[in-house]
Amino acid sequence: MRYFVFIFTLLSGFCISQQTEDFRSVKNYYNQHRTMLNGEFKKKFDKETNNLIKASIKNDFKLFMRKMDSIENVALVGALLKTKNLEDLRKFKSATSSTSGDKIMDQTLGKDANYPGGINALRQEVANLFYSDGVYSEMKDLRTQVAFIVEKDGSITNVKAEGDNFTFNRQAEIALYSVAEKFSPAYINGIPVRSRFRLPLNLKFD
């Protein structure tokens, strides 16, 4: 059994923009296939009268779903690599540009960014999205620090996890990029600004 301990800390800071549409597209694609598979297995299960065969169908369904999860995770890793490459490219362009909107600001926030339903709702969504089978470790307790940007439009961008376990960091980044809702952004003097969050994340194996 694996479970999480979440601690959220708000830090001031600002950075560049990056979309997470690729992650949503992957999620939608595989969710559609899960729905179709679920329907096909249910028809076969309901039609069967032999209890032993029913149990076999149920086990086959669980196996197919686990394989689907694994295949989806490969696609999400690809989306993560693409996103990271685009972020690096935009940072390079920002460094060579004099556009003031890309500069890091150093001001006190007048209003913090907020996730719909609050921090607990974000915590629960990250836990639901986290693919723990994608984490490989002999340690019983894994920790990472995940920093991300809440953009002026409320989207989550520039996710960076820093911990000792690469696979844990990668799954943490994918989960943050994949959240469905946008934040309400932070404001300074009534103007929306980019703001940075830091999320310490702990995964324990029992």
Side-chain angles (χ1 to χ4, degrees):
M1 181 179 178
R2 308 173 183 192
Y3 61 95
F4 294 99
V5 176
F6 293 89
I7 305 171
F8 290 78
T9 306
L10 176 63
L11 302 176
S12 62
F14 306 90
C15 201
I16 60 176
S17 177
Q18 175 60 50
Q19 297 299 316
T20 58
E21 186 58 37
D22 287 335
F23 295 89
R24 296 190 190 99
S25 296
V26 170
K27 291 286 183 182
N28 290 337
Y29 176 83
Y30 285 95
N31 284 339
Q32 289 173 2
H33 280 71
R34 285 189 185 90
T35 299
M36 289 188 290
L37 277 172
N38 183 70
E40 292 301 315
F41 271 98
K42 189 176 186 305
K43 288 178 184 178
K44 189 175 181 180
F45 183 86
D46 292 342
K47 186 178 179 180
E48 184 57 55
T49 57
N50 186 300
N51 287 334
L52 290 177
I53 298 178
K54 275 182 173 287
S56 177
I57 294 172
K58 188 175 181 179
N59 288 334
D60 287 345
F61 173 74
K62 290 180 179 179
L63 178 61
F64 268 79
M65 289 298 105
R66 291 199 65 174
K67 288 182 177 179
M68 183 71 71
D69 290 344
S70 179
I71 295 169
E72 178 187 10
N73 187 59
V74 172
L76 288 169
V77 169
L80 180 65
L81 292 174
K82 177 183 176 182
T83 298
K84 294 290 186 180
N85 287 336
L86 289 174
E87 285 177 348
D88 289 343
L89 179 61
R90 293 187 183 189
K91 288 176 182 177
F92 174 77
K93 290 181 178 179
S94 177
T96 59
S97 172
S98 60
T99 304
S100 60
D102 289 335
K103 292 181 179 179
I104 297 176
M105 302 175 66
D106 188 17
Q107 294 175 281
T108 302
L109 296 179
K111 179 182 178 183
D112 295 344
N114 288 296
Y115 193 74
I119 291 299
N120 287 337
L122 177 61
R123 179 189 298 124
Q124 186 60 55
E125 184 166 3
V126 169
N128 291 341
L129 290 167
F130 196 94
Y131 181 58
S132 59
D133 284 348
V135 177
Y136 307 100
S137 175
E138 296 181 355
M139 298 179 62
K140 297 294 185 181
D141 191 350
L142 298 177
R143 299 174 186 272
T144 191
Q145 292 276 342
V146 188
F148 61 94
I149 302 297
V150 176
E151 293 291 337
K152 296 176 184 179
D153 66 354
S155 60
I156 291 176
T157 67
N158 291 276
V159 179
K160 178 65 176 177
E162 295 183 351
D164 293 334
N165 186 283
F166 169 76
T167 58
F168 184 36
N169 293 342
R170 183 172 61 189
Q171 294 305 321
E173 290 174 353
I174 288 173
L176 262 298
Y177 273 121
S178 300
V179 297
E181 302 293 336
K182 288 186 176 183
F183 278 71
S184 58
Y187 284 83
I188 293 178
N189 299 324
I191 300 174
V193 294
R194 296 170 175 137
S195 58
R196 187 186 299 274
F197 275 75
R198 185 172 296 277
L199 167 64
L201 180 61
N202 184 20
L203 175 63
K204 293 186 177 181
F205 296 80
D206 282 347

